[in-house]
Amino acid sequence: MSNIPDDFHYTSTHEWVKVDENGVATVGISDHAQEALGDIVFVELPEPGTEIEARAEAAVVESVKAASDIYSPVSGEITQVNEALIDNPQLVNTAPYDDGWIYRMTINDERDLDELLNAEAYAEHCSDE
């Protein structure tokens, strides 16, 4: 079974978001997603300063198997990207919830989080696939 932290929000397309005490949202792909993709070889990062809508394409992750679009779980402005992924995209595989995050953003409306899955619902979603 994949690792699914309780304090994150998830999408049905396998992105996660965690909001810190300062309101900064960090986004990445789930352990389940990186397992399904296999070895990540490239991450196309978004541009900081980009305004993005929830469910819009934000980044691309390429593995030895396929390229997959990464969709923004919430609407807001991208404020930072994980530049470590440029030289070490495998961080998405080895630490998807830590060093393998993809970007950070400010959220326009925290009510967007209410439309996402909690850990229990995401685990059920993964088991149904």
Side-chain angles (χ1 to χ4, degrees), residues 13-33:
T13 53
H14 306 290
E15 293 84 11
W16 59 261
V17 60
K18 182 175 183 182
V19 181
D20 69 16
E21 62 277 353
N22 297 319
V24 175
T26 301
V27 177
I29 65 169
S30 71
D31 190 38
H32 179 83

Side-chain angles (χ1 to χ4, degrees), residues 19-100:
V19 181
D20 69 16
E21 62 277 353
N22 297 319
V24 175
T26 301
V27 177
I29 65 169
S30 71
D31 190 38
H32 179 83
Q34 71 78 23
E35 284 177 3
L37 285 169
D39 293 336
I40 305 296
V41 296
F42 178 75
V43 179
E44 182 181 312
L45 298 168
E47 287 290 321
T50 301
E51 283 284 336
I52 192 157
E53 293 296 318
R55 296 174 292 287
E57 182 183 317
V60 177
V61 173
E62 293 182 19
S63 72
V64 294
K65 293 181 180 180
S68 294
D69 293 333
I70 305 303
Y71 301 99
S72 185
V74 292
S75 298
E77 181 182 351
I78 296 171
T79 57
Q80 182 183 5
V81 296
N82 187 353
E83 293 186 4
L85 298 178
I86 295 168
D87 294 326
N88 194 2
Q90 303 82 15
L91 289 171
V92 174
N93 293 119
T94 59
Y97 300 114
D98 299 307
D99 295 336

